[in-house]
Amino acid sequence: MPRHHFHLKATWKGGRNGTGTIAAGNLQQQISIPKEMDGPGVGTNPDEMLIGAAATCYLITLAAIIERKQLPVTKLSLETEGIVKVENKFTFEKIIHRPHLLVKKEATEKEWEMIRHATEMAERSCMISNALRGNVELAVEAEFETCE
C-alpha cells in the first residue's frame, strides 16, 4: 500500500507571545498566536492553517468531482469560515465551506442535481475533512448561479 510522507520543520523564539517559522515543501511562513487571541499576529497561525488545509482540500476535491463527472460548471470559488469556541480552553468548533459555483444556463435538471450532490460529496471525500470529522463540526453552504 503506497504511503506519502510530508515533513515540516519549525523554529520558535520566546514564550507564548514569541514568533517562529515553519517550512514544509512550498510552504514557508512566519507563525505566531493571532491578535484575536492576544498574540503578536505575526505571519499565520494554527487556526488559519487548519481552515486553509480544510478549504484547499475541499476545493480541490470538488474540482476533481466536477471534472470527472463532466459537469457544466464554469467557475468555482470558495469562502471558508472557522469558528473557535472559548470556554475553559480553546476548541475548534466548526468549519463552514461556502462554495460558489457558476453553472451554464443550459444545464439539465439531472446535472443540477449532480452539481448539488458534488458539493456535499466533496466534503465527505476530502482527506482533511475525514481527519477532522468527529472532532470538528463540518458544514457546506453552497451557492449557485447560472451564466451564459
Side-chain angles (χ1 to χ4, degrees):
M1 169 172 29
R3 288 186 169 82
H4 303 280
H5 296 257
F6 299 92
H7 301 275
L8 181 139
K9 291 186 180 187
T11 64
W12 190 261
K13 294 181 197 168
R16 179 195 183 280
N17 286 326
T19 60
T21 61
I22 57 170
N26 291 320
L27 174 64
Q28 296 184 11
Q29 184 67 46
Q30 288 186 295
I31 57 170
S32 73
I33 294 175
K35 286 188 182 211
E36 297 85 355
M37 295 178 175
D38 299 321
V42 174
T44 192
N45 58 69
D47 308 284
E48 291 173 344
M49 290 191 296
L50 183 63
I51 67 167
T56 54
C57 184
Y58 174 83
L59 187 63
I60 291 167
T61 303
L62 180 54
I65 292 168
I66 289 167
E67 178 183 68
R68 187 173 55 249
K69 295 184 181 279
Q70 299 179 342
L71 298 173
V73 174
T74 61
K75 187 175 179 185
L76 174 59
S77 60
L78 176 68
E79 289 186 22
T80 295
E81 178 182 4
I83 301 169
V84 174
K85 178 173 63 174
V86 182
E87 287 181 351
N88 295 334
K89 62 180 181 176
F90 293 99
T91 304
F92 216 106
E93 185 176 44
K94 186 174 186 176
I95 294 175
I96 307 164
H97 297 300
R98 295 185 179 100
H100 184 260
L101 296 88
L102 285 179
V103 180
K104 291 181 182 177
K105 80 174 180 182
E106 59 270 5
T108 66
E109 240 345 277
K110 182 175 180 170
E111 287 172 326
W112 271 103
E113 183 181 322
M114 291 172 69
I115 291 165
R116 285 187 208 85
H117 180 71
T119 64
E120 296 294 329
M121 190 169 130
E123 190 278 317
R124 290 190 305 275
S125 302
C126 165
M127 176 178 69
I128 302 299
S129 292
N130 290 331
L132 296 172
R133 196 173 327 285
N135 293 308
V136 177
E137 183 183 346
L138 302 165
V140 175
E141 297 174 359
E143 292 183 9
F144 308 94
E145 189 177 337
T146 56
C147 66
E148 297 300 315

